[in-house]
Amino acid sequence: MWEAAQRLRLSKKERELLESFARAGSTPQKIVLRLRIVLRSADGIANHRVAREFRTSRPTVLRWRRRFEQAGLEGLLQDAPRPGRKRRLTREKEEAIVNATLYSKPTGATHWSVRTLARAQRVSPTAVYRVWRAHRLQPHRLQPHRVKSFKLSSDPKFFHKLQDIVGLYLNPPEKALVLSVDEKSQIQALDRTQPILPLRPGIPERQTHDYTRHGTTTLFAALNVLSGEVLGDGMPRHRHQEFLRFLRRIERSTPRRLAVHLILDNYGTHTHPAVEAWFRTHPRYHRHFTPTGASWLNLVERFFAEITDKRIRRGTFCSLGELVRAIRDYIRRRNHRPRPFVWTASARSIARKVRHCNEVLETGD
């Protein structure tokens, strides 16, 4: 025979709260069962009778009585944490998988895949994937095959030029224009060999992999850092003659009373003797060169990425003239509602990251 169960002590407020939860139509049935077990136990009903009334077991009744005594209403509304499945991989095996991924390569291949590493370590592919994900080894793919490129500038004046250009972005001088200038060369006028299949529900737009090329053009662009307006023009080549022609257009398009600060990269046309002579006769222009191998500091590159993504890459052009007109039309429409690209990184934060990368290159870790 079981010992007589003691009556659960409930205050009037607790009883009203439990009864309201039990009557609520939105309360899950498993929670309702727990609430009714506690309410009947508070009425002094024996545990085995409560179990028979609700068609459950006596250990279940004892469990929810004990949970209510320990945690109150919260103990009934939430399940206790479970230990989960036992660990199948030992720490030594997990460490071996990580070390093999980081410090070794399979025979005759450049990188491990889930299956090749699982075969080498004698575990399941799922186990390898879980280890990779836990250690953030390419967590978004099943293979650590993606490679990102990087370039660290070897310019001895890198930090001086960095401070100079970032200073123009974050604190532009008064009564002056800051123009980010560069050329995007070899823009191809591509015409697909067959009609493009349009976008449909569940199916992306499709185009043939082969094409007919109708020539190339070079986009010269000057981005007004403050306003976001773009002055651009397409030219057949990108020699110093074309760059001088573009400089003359900048001269005609900007107020004469303002100084002009040009952010340029180290391309040879920007320092050609004819270009140097032009700048000597136009003293209101001040040049700021990006460090060697650091064209990402030139903000106009962000505009080039935008026009490539939105107008050029997926475009179909039956002639070179059509491509040039499309570029000019995009710039004209963009200048109706210009939005500047806002530079937020300080020179100090960039310099700190570059120093860290240089240390990694030197130590290999």
Side-chain angles (χ1 to χ4, degrees):
M1 295 295 294
W2 294 301
E3 296 181 0
Q6 295 183 356
R7 182 194 299 268
L8 271 180
R9 295 182 179 180
L10 287 181
S11 66
K12 183 178 179 181
K13 186 175 181 180
E14 287 177 329
R15 178 176 285 275
E16 291 176 352
L17 188 59
L18 293 176
E19 290 176 347
S20 66
F21 269 97
R23 290 193 303 267
S26 59
T27 306
Q29 287 303 305
K30 67 176 184 178
I31 304 298
V32 172
L33 174 62
R34 301 169 188 176
L35 296 169
R36 288 176 177 171
I37 288 174
V38 171
L39 288 171
R40 295 297 283 163
S41 299
D43 293 335
I45 308 300
N47 293 328
H48 69 279
R49 294 185 182 277
V50 175
R52 189 182 307 129
E53 179 180 349
F54 296 118
R55 296 182 180 181
T56 187
S57 63
R58 184 171 178 272
T60 300
V61 175
L62 293 173
R63 179 189 305 121
W64 295 115
R65 282 180 59 119
R66 185 167 57 252
R67 187 77 62 79
F68 181 78
E69 291 174 344
Q70 294 173 350
L73 180 59
E74 289 294 326
L76 303 180
L77 299 179
Q78 296 181 358
D79 292 339
R82 293 177 171 82
R85 189 175 63 182
K86 292 184 178 180
R87 187 184 186 92
R88 291 188 176 183
L89 286 179
T90 63
R91 294 193 181 278
E92 291 75 13
K93 176 59 71 172
E94 183 174 334
E95 184 177 348
I97 293 173
V98 172
N99 288 335
T101 305
L102 294 177
Y103 306 116
S104 69
K105 293 182 180 180
T107 304
T110 59
H111 58 272
W112 292 104
S113 70
V114 166
R115 289 169 179 79
T116 56
L117 186 56
R119 195 179 306 118
Q121 295 292 327
R122 296 184 179 181
V123 296
S124 69
T126 305
V128 173
Y129 175 68
R130 289 196 183 115
V131 171
W132 281 355
R133 189 170 186 176
H135 291 267
R136 300 178 65 187
L137 298 174
Q138 200 63 39
H140 302 299
R141 300 273 185 174
L142 287 178
Q143 296 183 1
H145 60 273
R146 293 195 303 180
V147 177
K148 290 186 176 182
S149 59
F150 75 96
K151 174 67 175 178
L152 289 179
S153 174
S154 58
D155 194 323
K157 297 183 179 180
F158 173 82
F159 295 106
H160 172 73
K161 295 178 179 179
L162 172 69
Q163 292 177 342
D164 180 34
I165 293 175
V166 173
L168 287 175
Y169 292 151
L170 299 181
N171 298 292
E174 296 182 358
K175 298 181 180 180
L177 292 176
V178 179
L179 301 180
S180 178
V181 179
D182 202 1
E183 310 90 20
K184 181 176 177 60
S185 61
Q186 297 295 313
I187 305 175
Q188 304 180 82
L190 302 182
D191 184 14
R192 301 294 163 178
T193 57
Q194 295 178 7
I196 294 177
L197 299 179
L199 177 72
R200 293 184 179 181
I203 302 176
E205 181 182 286
R206 290 161 291 171
Q207 60 186 14
T208 59
H209 68 278
D210 54 344
Y211 53 82
T212 301
R213 190 171 72 169
H214 297 290
T216 61
T217 187
T218 295
L219 172 60
F220 285 78
L223 171 69
N224 188 321
V225 172
L226 189 60
S227 68
E229 293 179 310
V230 175
L231 180 66
D233 200 2
M235 299 187 191
R237 302 174 69 176
H238 58 293
R239 304 169 301 171
H240 74 275
Q241 293 93 328
E242 285 77 18
F243 183 57
L244 281 172
R245 191 186 312 167
F246 187 62
L247 287 176
R248 296 186 189 104
R249 184 176 176 189
I250 294 176
E251 175 69 11
R252 294 192 302 269
S253 304
T254 55
R256 297 291 180 90
R257 68 181 184 278
L258 297 179
V260 180
H261 294 263
L262 299 181
I263 299 173
L264 302 163
D265 63 16
N266 294 275
Y267 189 56
T269 58
H270 302 158
T271 55
H272 190 275
V275 175
E276 295 286 351
W278 188 90
F279 279 116
R280 283 195 295 269
T281 60
H282 296 77
R284 74 186 184 110
Y285 286 85
H286 307 274
R287 288 176 294 173
H288 306 263
F289 290 100
T290 61
T292 305
S295 60
W296 48 268
L297 268 176
N298 204 338
L299 202 55
V300 74
E301 296 291 345
R302 182 61 187 86
F303 167 73
F304 288 152
E306 177 189 290
I307 193 173
T308 300
D309 181 61
K310 295 184 177 181
R311 188 63 186 94
I312 297 175
R313 181 179 293 121
R314 292 175 59 177
T316 299
F317 309 102
C318 299
S319 66
L320 183 60
E322 184 177 346
L323 170 62
V324 173
R325 288 192 296 273
I327 292 174
R328 290 174 178 171
D329 180 68
Y330 181 86
I331 294 174
R332 179 178 57 82
R333 292 177 181 274
R334 189 185 186 282
N335 285 339
H336 284 328
R337 297 181 61 184
R339 295 183 61 183
F341 299 108
V342 180
W343 189 278
T344 58
S346 66
R348 181 175 299 178
S349 65
I350 297 173
R352 184 169 58 249
K353 293 179 181 179
V354 171
R355 290 193 182 98
H356 173 71
C357 292
N358 282 318
E359 292 173 359
V360 171
L361 284 180
E362 291 174 1
T363 60
D365 187 11

